[in-house]
Amino acid sequence: MSRSDQQSNGGETQLSRRKLLEFLSASPMLAPGAVAFVAGFLGGSSSALAQSYDVLRQAPVLDGDLIANPAQALNVFDFELVAKKVLPPAHYGYLASGVDGDETLKANRDGFEKIAIRARRLIDVRKIDTTVKIFGETWGSPIALAPISSQGAFHPEAEGAVARACKAKNHQMILSTVGSTSIEDVIKERGSPVWYMLYPTDDWAVTEALVKRAEKAGAPAIVLTVDRQGGRNTETLFRERRGDTRTCTDCHTPGFKNEVSRKPMFDDLDVSKVTNLYGTGMTWDYVKRLRGVVKGKLVLKGIVTQEDAKKALDYGVDALIVSNHGGRAEESLQSTIGVLPEIVGAVNGKVPVLIDGGFRRGTDVIKALALGATAVCVGRPYAWGLAAFGQPGVEMVLTIMQREFETIMRQVGATKIAEINGTSVSRV
Ligand SMILES: Cc1cc2nc3c(=O)[nH]c(=O)nc-3n(C[C@H](O)[C@H](O)[C@H](O)COP(=O)(O)O)c2cc1C
């Protein structure tokens, strides 16, 4: 199907609906009641029928493949094309890259194709509730935003725009240690506390100061990322960078100290002893030490085996995020959705299990919840939205994913998250 044949959510929708109703009203063949019936079918969001996608939506004819505004997007992939167009090659390469041959990046997506959804019929699903409770806080949606570093590379409003979109659409987000915006500013824009993702520096004084600052700002959870210890080969980034004619050193001054000193979370900290952010040499003792410092919840991000999941429980961790860093850590060929069941089994309901990696559709989200995840995190899609259109782009990415998720919830006959379970899916 060509893009111009596809349906859209654009302003043209209103226009075509109005034209049809004008035409019907003028028709001597139809009684006024019939016109009202058709109007009810086309409009409003209160009826069950209106939950369906409007078949009369007109797709705007696009100039090439690119959407011109968020309302034209049919799915989150539409934002990726625009992000690629507007970003400098090196920045797009940074966002897109996996490691080595990007096979694990691909495996994350392929993993969803091995799981089918079991639709249930004749259940009244006109009203559904997508809230989830995590650490005593009610989230409007099980779809949260994964930490993504350096968002100033994608849009000048960076994490601030993302936080405002999260506020508007009622999603939780996790801020990266190496974000372009401070946690104080992000919490201000979000209007409520966000989670803080911690890269473990190799200077304990700096690490401790980061934790204290995040908790003082109100972060209820510290998310320690544990999957970057081994180093990595981001080939796609390196390849894209070849096509970038700008002088990278105009912004990226060489040297670790200069790189982190551009990040607001390191303001006023002495980073002269820090040589890396990724926890080289970090062991479970480090988790123990951190547990002793973190006053709120401690979450480990990057767990992909049941052995490590069990160990995390032994060390008093409060939640896990099953993650391979979006295929940017190790080239394992293992999807995160593929390892979710073994981790859910190992945890056995003791703590929440979140997951990220390749979530692009509402159907992906429901598969993870059916396999026992408490919530999912989305990475690149919201950064595509940010790069493409700033805050409105992020908002539309969240709107689309949430809308798709609600649609598939209805199709599996779930009126609330607790009703999504193992019977909602099967193996292909
Ligand atoms: C450009 C980029 C930067 C990232 N920065 C961080 C980071 O600072 N800390 C972290 O824990 N994960 C980081 N991640 C990984 C994400 O948190 C998440 O695990 C991943 O993006 C999920 O996969 P997805 O992009 O396929 O949705 C980053 C991912 C990308 C694409």
Side-chain angles (χ1 to χ4, degrees):
M1 189 192 289
S2 82
R3 293 179 67 99
S4 57
D5 289 329
Q6 294 175 343
Q7 298 164 355
S8 127
N9 193 18
E12 288 79 356
T13 309
Q14 298 300 328
L15 198 63
S16 56
R17 179 182 291 130
R18 200 174 61 235
K19 275 190 179 153
L20 176 71
L21 291 173
E22 278 167 11
F23 169 77
L24 291 176
S25 307
S27 168
M29 309 285 287
L30 277 179
V35 175
F37 173 79
V38 175
F41 175 76
L42 295 176
S45 57
S46 55
S47 75
L49 278 175
Q51 290 161 357
S52 305
Y53 293 75
D54 181 348
V55 291
L56 294 179
R57 274 184 194 158
Q58 291 292 309
V61 178
L62 301 183
D63 182 11
D65 278 340
L66 300 183
I67 55 170
N69 59 61
Q72 291 180 338
L74 298 179
N75 58 40
V76 302
F77 299 106
D78 280 335
F79 294 92
E80 183 177 16
L81 300 175
V82 182
K84 183 162 191 184
K85 176 91 189 293
V86 300
L87 287 176
H91 289 189
Y92 177 74
Y94 177 61
L95 178 55
S97 199
V99 286
D100 295 356
D102 288 352
E103 299 293 341
T104 309
L105 176 72
K106 190 168 166 292
N108 278 345
R109 287 292 305 137
D110 293 348
F112 294 109
E113 290 179 16
K114 297 176 187 142
I115 302 162
I117 290 169
R118 300 183 68 240
R120 297 296 306 279
R121 311 301 186 202
L122 299 168
I123 297 168
D124 183 351
V125 286
R126 283 174 297 180
K127 282 204 188 95
I128 58 166
D129 175 1
T130 67
T131 58
V132 285
K133 214 170 191 181
I134 299 190
F135 298 154
E137 188 194 349
T138 301
W139 293 6
S141 164
I143 306 170
L145 280 70
I148 286 192
S149 57
S150 312
Q151 292 178 25
F154 309 131
H155 191 275
E157 291 172 24
E159 292 84 358
V162 173
R164 288 194 297 278
C166 284
K167 179 181 186 185
K169 295 286 153 188
N170 199 13
H171 292 261
Q172 183 52 289
M173 65 179 277
I174 310 176
L175 175 69
S176 169
T177 294
V178 278
S180 311
T181 314
S182 72
I183 188 146
E184 294 83 3
D185 287 345
V186 166
I187 288 177
K188 203 164 133 208
E189 300 287 4
R190 167 83 176 83
S192 63
V194 302
W195 289 16
Y196 178 70
M197 173 260 135
L198 176 74
Y199 271 137
T201 74
D202 55 357
D203 180 351
W204 181 254
V206 171
T207 306
E208 200 175 357
L210 289 170
V211 170
K212 286 202 166 133
R213 177 171 171 184
E215 291 198 320
K216 187 166 172 230
I222 302 294
V223 180
L224 176 69
T225 293
V226 294
D227 57 18
R228 288 290 317 278
Q229 270 184 289
R232 66 179 185 184
N233 171 34
T234 47
E235 255 175 52
T236 295
L237 162 62
F238 302 145
R239 190 167 299 111
E240 289 285 328
R241 201 159 69 192
R242 286 176 176 159
D244 205 318
T245 51
R246 301 165 313 143
T247 309
C248 296
T249 47
D250 283 353
C251 299
H252 299 268
T253 320
F256 177 82
K257 184 170 178 295
N258 293 321
E259 194 57 30
V260 292
S261 62
R262 298 168 60 234
K263 310 292 182 189
M265 286 309 288
F266 292 89
D267 285 353
D268 305 326
L269 291 181
D270 173 10
V271 291
S272 59
K273 293 200 204 85
V274 182
T275 64
N276 79 81
L277 276 181
Y278 306 118
T280 315
M282 182 169 59
T283 66
W284 287 99
D285 279 346
Y286 193 94
V287 175
K288 190 174 169 192
R289 195 173 184 194
L290 196 59
R291 177 69 284 181
V293 169
V294 171
K295 293 200 179 72
K297 303 295 183 183
L298 177 61
V299 181
L300 293 193
K301 174 172 183 281
I303 298 297
V304 284
T305 60
Q306 56 171 315
E307 295 90 326
D308 287 345
K310 282 184 191 147
K311 264 205 132 141
L313 295 182
D314 293 343
Y315 280 79
V317 166
D318 298 300
L320 300 176
I321 305 182
V322 177
S323 175
N324 54 24
H325 221 102
R328 306 161 66 86
E330 65 282 332
E331 187 76 308
S332 63
L333 306 186
Q334 175 61 67
S335 69
T336 52
I337 194 78
V339 295
L340 179 63
E342 81 172 58
I343 292 175
V344 166
V347 166
N348 197 18
K350 292 193 185 87
V351 298
V353 176
L354 289 79
I355 177 170
D356 70 25
F359 287 83
R360 306 288 181 264
R361 292 279 188 186
T363 49
D364 303 334
V365 177
I366 209 161
K367 288 174 186 179
L369 299 188
L371 294 175
T374 316
V376 311
C377 300
V378 180
R380 291 178 185 84
Y382 82 83
W384 299 333
L386 176 68
F389 302 109
Q391 180 186 342
V394 181
E395 283 190 28
M396 188 52 82
V397 163
L398 296 172
T399 300
I400 290 171
M401 287 200 71
Q402 180 71 15
R403 186 173 66 202
E404 289 180 355
F405 174 60
E406 291 180 11
T407 301
I408 195 65
M409 259 184 89
R410 291 191 186 96
Q411 289 288 13
V412 302
T415 59
K416 50 182 191 262
I417 300 293
E419 289 171 4
I420 301 167
N421 57 43
T423 67
S424 313
V425 289
S426 62
R427 288 270 152 204
V428 171

